Tab-separated table of all heavy atoms in Angstrom:
chain	number	residue	atom	x	y	z
A	24	MET	N	-21.466	-1.938	-4.464
A	24	MET	CA	-20.274	-1.183	-4.569
A	24	MET	C	-19.106	-2.046	-5.029
A	24	MET	O	-18.872	-3.109	-4.425
A	24	MET	CB	-19.941	-0.586	-3.207
A	24	MET	CG	-21.004	0.440	-2.697
A	24	MET	SD	-20.631	0.992	-1.007
A	24	MET	CE	-19.424	2.197	-1.363
A	25	PRO	N	-18.397	-1.631	-6.057
A	25	PRO	CA	-17.303	-2.538	-6.568
A	25	PRO	C	-16.154	-2.669	-5.625
A	25	PRO	O	-15.419	-3.654	-5.707
A	25	PRO	CB	-16.899	-1.842	-7.862
A	25	PRO	CG	-17.535	-0.539	-7.852
A	25	PRO	CD	-18.642	-0.486	-6.863
A	26	GLN	N	-15.954	-1.719	-4.726
A	26	GLN	CA	-14.847	-1.828	-3.773
A	26	GLN	C	-15.024	-3.018	-2.827
A	26	GLN	O	-14.043	-3.570	-2.283
A	26	GLN	CB	-14.649	-0.561	-2.942
A	26	GLN	CG	-14.469	0.694	-3.739
A	26	GLN	CD	-15.793	1.449	-3.988
A	26	GLN	OE1	-16.758	0.811	-4.360
A	26	GLN	NE2	-15.784	2.688	-3.718
A	27	LEU	N	-16.228	-3.377	-2.564
A	27	LEU	CA	-16.521	-4.385	-1.567
A	27	LEU	C	-16.548	-5.783	-2.161
A	27	LEU	O	-16.622	-6.784	-1.455
A	27	LEU	CB	-17.870	-4.105	-0.863
A	27	LEU	CG	-17.886	-2.745	-0.114
A	27	LEU	CD1	-19.232	-2.543	0.497
A	27	LEU	CD2	-16.779	-2.734	0.928
A	28	LYS	N	-16.527	-5.908	-3.478
A	28	LYS	CA	-16.553	-7.232	-4.072
A	28	LYS	C	-15.128	-7.747	-4.139
A	28	LYS	O	-14.226	-7.257	-4.783
A	28	LYS	CB	-17.145	-7.175	-5.493
A	28	LYS	CG	-18.641	-6.772	-5.477
A	28	LYS	CD	-19.166	-6.786	-6.876
A	28	LYS	CE	-20.596	-6.381	-6.822
A	28	LYS	NZ	-21.199	-6.300	-8.160
A	29	PHE	N	-14.927	-8.808	-3.360
A	29	PHE	CA	-13.593	-9.313	-3.224
A	29	PHE	C	-12.943	-9.824	-4.525
A	29	PHE	O	-11.774	-9.581	-4.758
A	29	PHE	CB	-13.661	-10.516	-2.227
A	29	PHE	CG	-12.377	-11.178	-1.952
A	29	PHE	CD1	-11.400	-10.588	-1.190
A	29	PHE	CD2	-12.074	-12.450	-2.547
A	29	PHE	CE1	-10.186	-11.203	-0.953
A	29	PHE	CE2	-10.874	-13.028	-2.293
A	29	PHE	CZ	-9.925	-12.440	-1.517
A	30	ILE	N	-13.684	-10.469	-5.296
A	30	ILE	CA	-13.130	-11.093	-6.547
A	30	ILE	C	-12.620	-9.990	-7.487
A	30	ILE	O	-11.583	-10.175	-8.109
A	30	ILE	CB	-14.235	-12.000	-7.241
A	30	ILE	CG1	-14.501	-13.166	-6.302
A	30	ILE	CG2	-13.745	-12.485	-8.540
A	30	ILE	CD1	-13.353	-14.072	-6.029
A	31	LEU	N	-13.339	-8.895	-7.585
A	31	LEU	CA	-12.966	-7.871	-8.531
A	31	LEU	C	-11.566	-7.258	-8.188
A	31	LEU	O	-10.660	-7.188	-9.019
A	31	LEU	CB	-14.026	-6.777	-8.639
A	31	LEU	CG	-15.290	-7.159	-9.306
A	31	LEU	CD1	-16.253	-5.988	-9.172
A	31	LEU	CD2	-15.080	-7.568	-10.707
A	32	TRP	N	-11.437	-6.768	-6.982
A	32	TRP	CA	-10.123	-6.133	-6.684
A	32	TRP	C	-9.082	-7.143	-6.467
A	32	TRP	O	-7.865	-6.848	-6.633
A	32	TRP	CB	-10.293	-5.152	-5.498
A	32	TRP	CG	-10.653	-5.747	-4.184
A	32	TRP	CD1	-11.900	-5.806	-3.659
A	32	TRP	CD2	-9.781	-6.334	-3.215
A	32	TRP	NE1	-11.854	-6.396	-2.425
A	32	TRP	CE2	-10.566	-6.728	-2.150
A	32	TRP	CE3	-8.424	-6.569	-3.191
A	32	TRP	CZ2	-10.027	-7.325	-0.981
A	32	TRP	CZ3	-7.855	-7.206	-2.060
A	32	TRP	CH2	-8.709	-7.573	-1.015
A	33	PHE	N	-9.407	-8.350	-6.052
A	33	PHE	CA	-8.354	-9.401	-5.892
A	33	PHE	C	-7.740	-9.814	-7.245
A	33	PHE	O	-6.554	-10.008	-7.315
A	33	PHE	CB	-8.921	-10.582	-5.139
A	33	PHE	CG	-7.923	-11.596	-4.746
A	33	PHE	CD1	-7.007	-11.286	-3.768
A	33	PHE	CD2	-7.794	-12.815	-5.369
A	33	PHE	CE1	-6.042	-12.202	-3.374
A	33	PHE	CE2	-6.865	-13.722	-5.006
A	33	PHE	CZ	-5.974	-13.433	-4.000
A	34	LYS	N	-8.601	-9.837	-8.252
A	34	LYS	CA	-8.083	-10.156	-9.618
A	34	LYS	C	-7.149	-9.042	-10.061
A	34	LYS	O	-6.074	-9.362	-10.620
A	34	LYS	CB	-9.240	-10.295	-10.599
A	34	LYS	CG	-9.859	-11.645	-10.651
A	34	LYS	CD	-10.871	-11.635	-11.786
A	34	LYS	CE	-11.508	-12.934	-11.975
A	34	LYS	NZ	-12.585	-12.927	-13.045
A	35	ILE	N	-7.542	-7.836	-9.880
A	35	ILE	CA	-6.653	-6.734	-10.269
A	35	ILE	C	-5.316	-6.769	-9.504
A	35	ILE	O	-4.265	-6.564	-10.034
A	35	ILE	CB	-7.388	-5.403	-10.051
A	35	ILE	CG1	-8.599	-5.291	-10.997
A	35	ILE	CG2	-6.440	-4.221	-10.235
A	35	ILE	CD1	-9.480	-4.129	-10.709
A	36	LEU	N	-5.388	-7.047	-8.208
A	36	LEU	CA	-4.223	-7.228	-7.391
A	36	LEU	C	-3.276	-8.332	-7.913
A	36	LEU	O	-2.072	-8.124	-8.084
A	36	LEU	CB	-4.590	-7.430	-5.935
A	36	LEU	CG	-3.408	-7.649	-4.980
A	36	LEU	CD1	-2.761	-6.362	-4.700
A	36	LEU	CD2	-3.933	-8.308	-3.708
A	37	ILE	N	-3.834	-9.463	-8.177
A	37	ILE	CA	-3.050	-10.547	-8.654
A	37	ILE	C	-2.457	-10.281	-10.002
A	37	ILE	O	-1.261	-10.537	-10.256
A	37	ILE	CB	-3.906	-11.860	-8.705
A	37	ILE	CG1	-4.296	-12.268	-7.274
A	37	ILE	CG2	-3.171	-12.998	-9.410
A	37	ILE	CD1	-3.129	-12.578	-6.379
A	38	TYR	N	-3.214	-9.748	-10.925
A	38	TYR	CA	-2.705	-9.427	-12.288
A	38	TYR	C	-1.625	-8.386	-12.196
A	38	TYR	O	-0.618	-8.460	-12.929
A	38	TYR	CB	-3.825	-8.957	-13.221
A	38	TYR	CG	-4.797	-10.089	-13.574
A	38	TYR	CD1	-6.135	-9.811	-13.787
A	38	TYR	CD2	-4.375	-11.398	-13.735
A	38	TYR	CE1	-7.031	-10.802	-14.088
A	38	TYR	CE2	-5.255	-12.359	-14.113
A	38	TYR	CZ	-6.587	-12.095	-14.283
A	38	TYR	OH	-7.419	-13.089	-14.624
A	39	SER	N	-1.764	-7.402	-11.354
A	39	SER	CA	-0.723	-6.365	-11.245
A	39	SER	C	0.578	-6.956	-10.677
A	39	SER	O	1.673	-6.665	-11.116
A	39	SER	CB	-1.211	-5.163	-10.450
A	39	SER	OG	-1.512	-5.590	-9.144
A	40	TRP	N	0.453	-7.808	-9.708
A	40	TRP	CA	1.654	-8.450	-9.175
A	40	TRP	C	2.325	-9.399	-10.140
A	40	TRP	O	3.529	-9.487	-10.162
A	40	TRP	CB	1.338	-9.161	-7.859
A	40	TRP	CG	1.459	-8.237	-6.674
A	40	TRP	CD1	0.427	-7.698	-5.983
A	40	TRP	CD2	2.640	-7.706	-6.150
A	40	TRP	NE1	0.901	-6.864	-5.015
A	40	TRP	CE2	2.248	-6.848	-5.110
A	40	TRP	CE3	4.012	-7.863	-6.401
A	40	TRP	CZ2	3.197	-6.130	-4.318
A	40	TRP	CZ3	4.894	-7.171	-5.670
A	40	TRP	CH2	4.536	-6.298	-4.651
A	41	ILE	N	1.505	-10.075	-10.888
A	41	ILE	CA	2.101	-10.944	-11.989
A	41	ILE	C	2.895	-10.095	-12.946
A	41	ILE	O	3.992	-10.421	-13.383
A	41	ILE	CB	1.019	-11.753	-12.675
A	41	ILE	CG1	0.492	-12.843	-11.737
A	41	ILE	CG2	1.480	-12.372	-13.975
A	41	ILE	CD1	-0.719	-13.608	-12.219
A	42	MET	N	2.346	-8.971	-13.331
A	42	MET	CA	3.035	-8.084	-14.226
A	42	MET	C	4.316	-7.562	-13.595
A	42	MET	O	5.358	-7.592	-14.234
A	42	MET	CB	2.142	-6.860	-14.538
A	42	MET	CG	2.857	-5.785	-15.238
A	42	MET	SD	2.456	-5.478	-16.939
A	42	MET	CE	0.732	-5.630	-17.069
A	43	PHE	N	4.307	-7.178	-12.331
A	43	PHE	CA	5.523	-6.649	-11.683
A	43	PHE	C	6.545	-7.731	-11.481
A	43	PHE	O	7.749	-7.496	-11.580
A	43	PHE	CB	5.210	-6.027	-10.344
A	43	PHE	CG	4.581	-4.674	-10.472
A	43	PHE	CD1	3.374	-4.373	-9.933
A	43	PHE	CD2	5.262	-3.663	-11.143
A	43	PHE	CE1	2.881	-3.125	-10.032
A	43	PHE	CE2	4.764	-2.390	-11.279
A	43	PHE	CZ	3.532	-2.122	-10.680
A	44	LEU	N	6.149	-9.018	-11.214
A	44	LEU	CA	7.110	-10.030	-10.922
A	44	LEU	C	7.581	-10.823	-12.140
A	44	LEU	O	8.636	-11.479	-12.058
A	44	LEU	CB	6.546	-10.998	-9.849
A	44	LEU	CG	6.290	-10.297	-8.527
A	44	LEU	CD1	5.592	-11.318	-7.580
A	44	LEU	CD2	7.562	-9.787	-7.885
A	45	VAL	N	6.811	-10.838	-13.180
A	45	VAL	CA	7.125	-11.695	-14.338
A	45	VAL	C	7.667	-10.916	-15.527
A	45	VAL	O	8.679	-11.281	-16.154
A	45	VAL	CB	5.925	-12.581	-14.700
A	45	VAL	CG1	6.216	-13.369	-16.030
A	45	VAL	CG2	5.544	-13.516	-13.595
A	46	PHE	N	6.990	-9.835	-15.838
A	46	PHE	CA	7.331	-9.079	-17.100
A	46	PHE	C	8.340	-7.987	-16.882
A	46	PHE	O	9.188	-7.793	-17.741
A	46	PHE	CB	6.062	-8.536	-17.728
A	46	PHE	CG	5.076	-9.548	-18.130
A	46	PHE	CD1	3.803	-9.627	-17.544
A	46	PHE	CD2	5.434	-10.542	-19.057
A	46	PHE	CE1	2.903	-10.599	-17.927
A	46	PHE	CE2	4.567	-11.480	-19.437
A	46	PHE	CZ	3.279	-11.551	-18.842
A	47	ILE	N	8.300	-7.292	-15.808
A	47	ILE	CA	9.183	-6.111	-15.623
A	47	ILE	C	10.581	-6.465	-15.252
A	47	ILE	O	11.507	-5.881	-15.847
A	47	ILE	CB	8.520	-5.150	-14.643
A	47	ILE	CG1	7.214	-4.602	-15.284
A	47	ILE	CG2	9.460	-4.015	-14.252
A	47	ILE	CD1	6.435	-3.680	-14.410
A	48	PRO	N	10.888	-7.412	-14.354
A	48	PRO	CA	12.325	-7.678	-13.987
A	48	PRO	C	13.168	-8.133	-15.165
A	48	PRO	O	14.347	-7.640	-15.186
A	48	PRO	CB	12.168	-8.782	-12.902
A	48	PRO	CG	10.888	-8.520	-12.289
A	48	PRO	CD	10.026	-8.100	-13.375
A	49	PRO	N	12.729	-8.958	-16.079
A	49	PRO	CA	13.634	-9.255	-17.210
A	49	PRO	C	13.928	-8.018	-18.066
A	49	PRO	O	15.036	-7.891	-18.581
A	49	PRO	CB	12.853	-10.314	-18.031
A	49	PRO	CG	11.889	-10.889	-17.107
A	49	PRO	CD	11.542	-9.824	-16.128
A	50	LYS	N	12.995	-7.137	-18.188
A	50	LYS	CA	13.256	-5.893	-18.979
A	50	LYS	C	14.274	-5.040	-18.270
A	50	LYS	O	15.125	-4.439	-18.904
A	50	LYS	CB	11.965	-5.160	-19.203
A	50	LYS	CG	11.036	-5.850	-20.160
A	50	LYS	CD	9.783	-4.992	-20.390
A	50	LYS	CE	8.847	-5.648	-21.352
A	50	LYS	NZ	9.301	-5.544	-22.696
A	51	VAL	N	14.183	-4.979	-16.942
A	51	VAL	CA	15.141	-4.121	-16.223
A	51	VAL	C	16.518	-4.733	-16.195
A	51	VAL	O	17.523	-4.089	-16.362
A	51	VAL	CB	14.591	-3.888	-14.798
A	51	VAL	CG1	15.621	-3.223	-13.927
A	51	VAL	CG2	13.337	-3.087	-14.804
A	52	THR	N	16.607	-6.054	-15.998
A	52	THR	CA	17.929	-6.680	-15.923
A	52	THR	C	18.570	-6.804	-17.349
A	52	THR	O	19.812	-6.991	-17.380
A	52	THR	CB	17.779	-8.151	-15.345
A	52	THR	OG1	16.863	-8.844	-16.083
A	52	THR	CG2	17.395	-8.055	-13.877
A	53	ALA	N	17.806	-6.689	-18.399
A	53	ALA	CA	18.394	-6.753	-19.713
A	53	ALA	C	18.889	-5.357	-20.194
A	53	ALA	O	19.440	-5.258	-21.266
A	53	ALA	CB	17.338	-7.240	-20.678
A	54	PHE	N	18.725	-4.359	-19.345
A	54	PHE	CA	19.160	-3.041	-19.712
A	54	PHE	C	20.667	-2.971	-19.835
A	54	PHE	O	21.382	-3.503	-18.956
A	54	PHE	CB	18.670	-2.017	-18.626
A	54	PHE	CG	19.111	-0.625	-18.924
A	54	PHE	CD1	18.447	0.136	-19.882
A	54	PHE	CD2	20.159	-0.043	-18.200
A	54	PHE	CE1	18.864	1.405	-20.181
A	54	PHE	CE2	20.523	1.273	-18.472
A	54	PHE	CZ	19.836	1.962	-19.453
A	55	VAL	N	21.139	-2.376	-20.871
A	55	VAL	CA	22.561	-2.299	-21.180
A	55	VAL	C	23.047	-0.829	-20.923
A	55	VAL	O	22.462	0.079	-21.507
A	55	VAL	CB	22.932	-2.738	-22.592
A	55	VAL	CG1	24.437	-2.549	-22.860
A	55	VAL	CG2	22.498	-4.122	-22.830
A	56	TYR	N	23.995	-0.674	-20.068
A	56	TYR	CA	24.486	0.694	-19.787
A	56	TYR	C	25.281	1.196	-20.976
A	56	TYR	O	26.110	0.456	-21.570
A	56	TYR	CB	25.435	0.652	-18.551
A	56	TYR	CG	24.709	0.420	-17.298
A	56	TYR	CD1	24.743	-0.838	-16.623
A	56	TYR	CD2	23.900	1.413	-16.716
A	56	TYR	CE1	24.038	-1.040	-15.504
A	56	TYR	CE2	23.243	1.193	-15.495
A	56	TYR	CZ	23.295	-0.055	-14.924
A	56	TYR	OH	22.606	-0.307	-13.783
A	57	SER	N	25.058	2.426	-21.308
A	57	SER	CA	25.811	3.013	-22.426
A	57	SER	C	27.193	3.495	-22.025
A	57	SER	O	28.050	3.726	-22.889
A	57	SER	CB	25.009	4.153	-23.024
A	57	SER	OG	24.763	5.162	-22.048
A	58	PHE	N	27.419	3.668	-20.708
A	58	PHE	CA	28.732	4.127	-20.243
A	58	PHE	C	29.246	3.107	-19.279
A	58	PHE	O	28.685	2.906	-18.208
A	58	PHE	CB	28.553	5.493	-19.521
A	58	PHE	CG	29.842	5.949	-18.840
A	58	PHE	CD1	30.898	6.401	-19.604
A	58	PHE	CD2	29.947	5.914	-17.484
A	58	PHE	CE1	32.074	6.780	-19.008
A	58	PHE	CE2	31.081	6.290	-16.910
A	58	PHE	CZ	32.186	6.741	-17.622
A	59	LEU	N	30.304	2.477	-19.675
A	59	LEU	CA	30.999	1.569	-18.774
A	59	LEU	C	32.239	2.242	-18.229
A	59	LEU	O	33.046	2.800	-18.968
A	59	LEU	CB	31.384	0.288	-19.527
A	59	LEU	CG	30.185	-0.592	-20.047
A	59	LEU	CD1	30.749	-1.719	-20.870
A	59	LEU	CD2	29.384	-1.042	-18.899
A	60	PRO	N	32.424	2.231	-16.929
A	60	PRO	CA	33.576	2.919	-16.361
A	60	PRO	C	34.884	2.267	-16.749
A	60	PRO	O	35.004	1.050	-16.875
A	60	PRO	CB	33.361	2.843	-14.869
A	60	PRO	CG	32.398	1.691	-14.656
A	60	PRO	CD	31.547	1.592	-15.937
A	61	ASN	N	35.859	3.074	-17.028
A	61	ASN	CA	37.185	2.622	-17.403
A	61	ASN	C	38.053	2.495	-16.163
A	61	ASN	O	38.301	3.447	-15.505
A	61	ASN	CB	37.747	3.575	-18.446
A	61	ASN	CG	39.061	3.080	-19.048
A	61	ASN	OD1	39.497	1.988	-18.726
A	61	ASN	ND2	39.592	3.829	-19.959
A	62	PRO	N	38.560	1.301	-15.912
A	62	PRO	CA	39.400	1.188	-14.659
A	62	PRO	C	40.710	1.964	-14.718
A	62	PRO	O	41.310	2.172	-13.675
A	62	PRO	CB	39.676	-0.346	-14.564
A	62	PRO	CG	39.448	-0.897	-15.905
A	62	PRO	CD	38.445	0.046	-16.562
A	63	LYS	N	41.177	2.349	-15.907
A	63	LYS	CA	42.402	3.140	-15.964
A	63	LYS	C	42.238	4.550	-15.460
A	63	LYS	O	43.221	5.182	-15.106
A	63	LYS	CB	42.862	3.215	-17.406
A	63	LYS	CG	43.248	1.861	-17.992
A	63	LYS	CD	43.671	2.013	-19.437
A	63	LYS	CE	43.915	0.627	-20.061
A	63	LYS	NZ	44.277	0.744	-21.526
A	64	THR	N	41.020	5.092	-15.422
A	64	THR	CA	40.847	6.463	-15.012
A	64	THR	C	40.602	6.588	-13.492
A	64	THR	O	40.480	7.693	-13.033
A	64	THR	CB	39.630	7.019	-15.677
A	64	THR	OG1	38.462	6.268	-15.383
A	64	THR	CG2	39.831	7.046	-17.249
A	65	THR	N	40.559	5.506	-12.751
A	65	THR	CA	40.317	5.635	-11.348
A	65	THR	C	41.613	5.981	-10.647
A	65	THR	O	42.725	5.487	-10.965
A	65	THR	CB	39.779	4.283	-10.785
A	65	THR	OG1	40.703	3.251	-11.075
A	65	THR	CG2	38.416	3.926	-11.388
A	66	LYS	N	41.505	6.823	-9.676
A	66	LYS	CA	42.663	7.280	-8.925
A	66	LYS	C	42.635	6.622	-7.535
A	66	LYS	O	41.562	6.487	-6.951
A	66	LYS	CB	42.687	8.785	-8.800
A	66	LYS	CG	42.835	9.522	-10.037
A	66	LYS	CD	42.822	11.038	-9.841
A	66	LYS	CE	42.942	11.839	-11.083
A	66	LYS	NZ	42.912	13.256	-10.846
A	67	LYS	N	43.801	6.339	-7.044
A	67	LYS	CA	43.872	5.785	-5.692
A	67	LYS	C	43.978	6.988	-4.741
A	67	LYS	O	44.767	7.953	-4.969
A	67	LYS	CB	45.083	4.902	-5.516
A	67	LYS	CG	44.984	3.610	-6.296
A	67	LYS	CD	46.079	2.670	-6.006
A	67	LYS	CE	45.909	1.372	-6.769
A	67	LYS	NZ	46.991	0.413	-6.536
A	68	THR	N	43.224	6.902	-3.673
A	68	THR	CA	43.296	7.993	-2.731
A	68	THR	C	44.489	7.837	-1.779
A	68	THR	O	44.907	6.668	-1.481
A	68	THR	CB	42.009	8.036	-1.870
A	68	THR	OG1	41.850	6.813	-1.230
A	68	THR	CG2	40.827	8.324	-2.749
A	69	LYS	N	45.015	8.946	-1.376
A	69	LYS	CA	46.199	8.889	-0.469
A	69	LYS	C	45.662	8.665	0.919
A	69	LYS	O	44.829	9.364	1.443
A	69	LYS	CB	46.913	10.229	-0.521
A	69	LYS	CG	48.201	10.237	0.290
A	69	LYS	CD	48.802	11.605	0.384
A	69	LYS	CE	49.614	11.872	-0.855
A	69	LYS	NZ	50.328	13.188	-0.783
A	70	LYS	N	46.154	7.584	1.587
A	70	LYS	CA	45.732	7.276	2.886
A	70	LYS	C	46.797	7.711	3.865
A	70	LYS	O	47.956	7.290	3.796
A	70	LYS	CB	45.466	5.773	3.029
A	70	LYS	CG	44.344	5.319	2.204
A	70	LYS	CD	44.048	3.858	2.344
A	70	LYS	CE	42.916	3.419	1.450
A	70	LYS	NZ	42.664	1.986	1.561
A	71	GLY	N	46.403	8.516	4.796
A	71	GLY	CA	47.315	9.007	5.818
A	71	GLY	C	46.558	9.512	7.030
A	71	GLY	O	45.320	9.554	7.047
A	72	PRO	N	47.263	9.950	8.055
A	72	PRO	CA	46.610	10.452	9.259
A	72	PRO	C	45.942	11.741	9.005
A	72	PRO	O	46.325	12.548	8.137
A	72	PRO	CB	47.732	10.561	10.280
A	72	PRO	CG	48.942	10.765	9.447
A	72	PRO	CD	48.711	10.004	8.186
A	73	TRP	N	44.891	12.074	9.764
A	73	TRP	CA	44.254	13.373	9.681
A	73	TRP	C	45.133	14.425	10.304
A	73	TRP	O	45.784	14.205	11.332
A	73	TRP	CB	42.914	13.309	10.393
A	73	TRP	CG	41.891	12.507	9.701
A	73	TRP	CD1	41.960	11.917	8.482
A	73	TRP	CD2	40.532	12.265	10.153
A	73	TRP	NE1	40.806	11.307	8.138
A	73	TRP	CE2	39.926	11.492	9.204
A	73	TRP	CE3	39.855	12.625	11.274
A	73	TRP	CZ2	38.610	11.085	9.281
A	73	TRP	CZ3	38.553	12.203	11.448
A	73	TRP	CH2	37.910	11.437	10.422
A	74	THR	N	45.108	15.585	9.727
A	74	THR	CA	45.937	16.700	10.304
A	74	THR	C	45.063	17.785	10.880
A	74	THR	O	45.414	18.933	10.919
A	74	THR	CB	46.771	17.303	9.125
A	74	THR	OG1	45.928	17.726	8.106
A	74	THR	CG2	47.759	16.255	8.600
A	75	TRP	N	43.892	17.384	11.402
A	75	TRP	CA	43.009	18.359	11.961
A	75	TRP	C	43.457	18.732	13.351
A	75	TRP	O	43.844	17.890	14.139
A	75	TRP	CB	41.567	17.877	12.031
A	75	TRP	CG	40.967	17.584	10.691
A	75	TRP	CD1	41.478	17.848	9.459
A	75	TRP	CD2	39.657	17.069	10.482
A	75	TRP	NE1	40.571	17.502	8.480
A	75	TRP	CE2	39.453	17.007	9.067
A	75	TRP	CE3	38.648	16.597	11.295
A	75	TRP	CZ2	38.275	16.533	8.522
A	75	TRP	CZ3	37.489	16.132	10.718
A	75	TRP	CH2	37.314	16.063	9.404
A	76	PRO	N	43.442	20.012	13.708
A	76	PRO	CA	43.763	20.337	15.082
A	76	PRO	C	42.604	20.001	16.030
A	76	PRO	O	41.463	20.372	15.814
A	76	PRO	CB	43.987	21.890	14.992
A	76	PRO	CG	43.183	22.308	13.843
A	76	PRO	CD	43.158	21.217	12.906
A	77	TRP	N	42.928	19.291	17.090
A	77	TRP	CA	41.953	18.886	18.057
A	77	TRP	C	42.108	19.824	19.288
A	77	TRP	O	43.171	19.888	19.838
A	77	TRP	CB	42.096	17.441	18.458
A	77	TRP	CG	41.874	16.521	17.331
A	77	TRP	CD1	42.876	15.907	16.563
A	77	TRP	CD2	40.650	16.117	16.760
A	77	TRP	NE1	42.335	15.133	15.591
A	77	TRP	CE2	40.994	15.266	15.654
A	77	TRP	CE3	39.328	16.364	17.000
A	77	TRP	CZ2	39.998	14.645	14.884
A	77	TRP	CZ3	38.355	15.735	16.232
A	77	TRP	CH2	38.696	14.904	15.140
A	78	HIS	N	40.998	20.388	19.683
A	78	HIS	CA	41.113	21.320	20.839
A	78	HIS	C	40.380	20.721	22.007
A	78	HIS	O	39.352	20.174	21.976
A	78	HIS	CB	40.479	22.678	20.518
A	78	HIS	CG	41.191	23.397	19.368
A	78	HIS	ND1	42.346	24.049	19.627
A	78	HIS	CD2	40.970	23.531	18.060
A	78	HIS	CE1	42.738	24.599	18.476
A	78	HIS	NE2	41.926	24.242	17.516
């Protein structure tokens, strides 16, 4: 049974982790956002006390 052979599934496990840790992170971190937020459009919130009636 191939599931019980340690070397077979261990190789697949190691190769998949190498792929996830070596090849994929540089591709994800190199992603460039097409929309950069403009700091001029941000609004400051008004900070004040709550006016909720407490019963």
Side-chain angles (χ1 to χ4, degrees):
M24 297 174 79
Q26 302 94 312
L27 300 178
K28 294 183 181 178
F29 178 75
I30 296 298
L31 290 176
W32 63 263
F33 188 70
K34 274 185 178 179
I35 294 171
L36 176 75
I37 294 298
Y38 290 146
S39 62
W40 273 105
I41 288 172
M42 168 110 40
F43 282 122
L44 295 176
V45 173
F46 297 118
I47 294 176
K50 289 183 179 285
V51 172
T52 56
F54 180 75
V55 177
Y56 290 103
S57 60
F58 173 72
L59 296 174
N61 189 359
K63 294 179 185 176
T64 61
T65 58
K66 295 181 182 178
K67 292 186 178 180
T68 58
K69 185 187 277 186
K70 295 182 181 178
W73 288 356
T74 58
W75 294 358
W77 298 100
H78 297 282

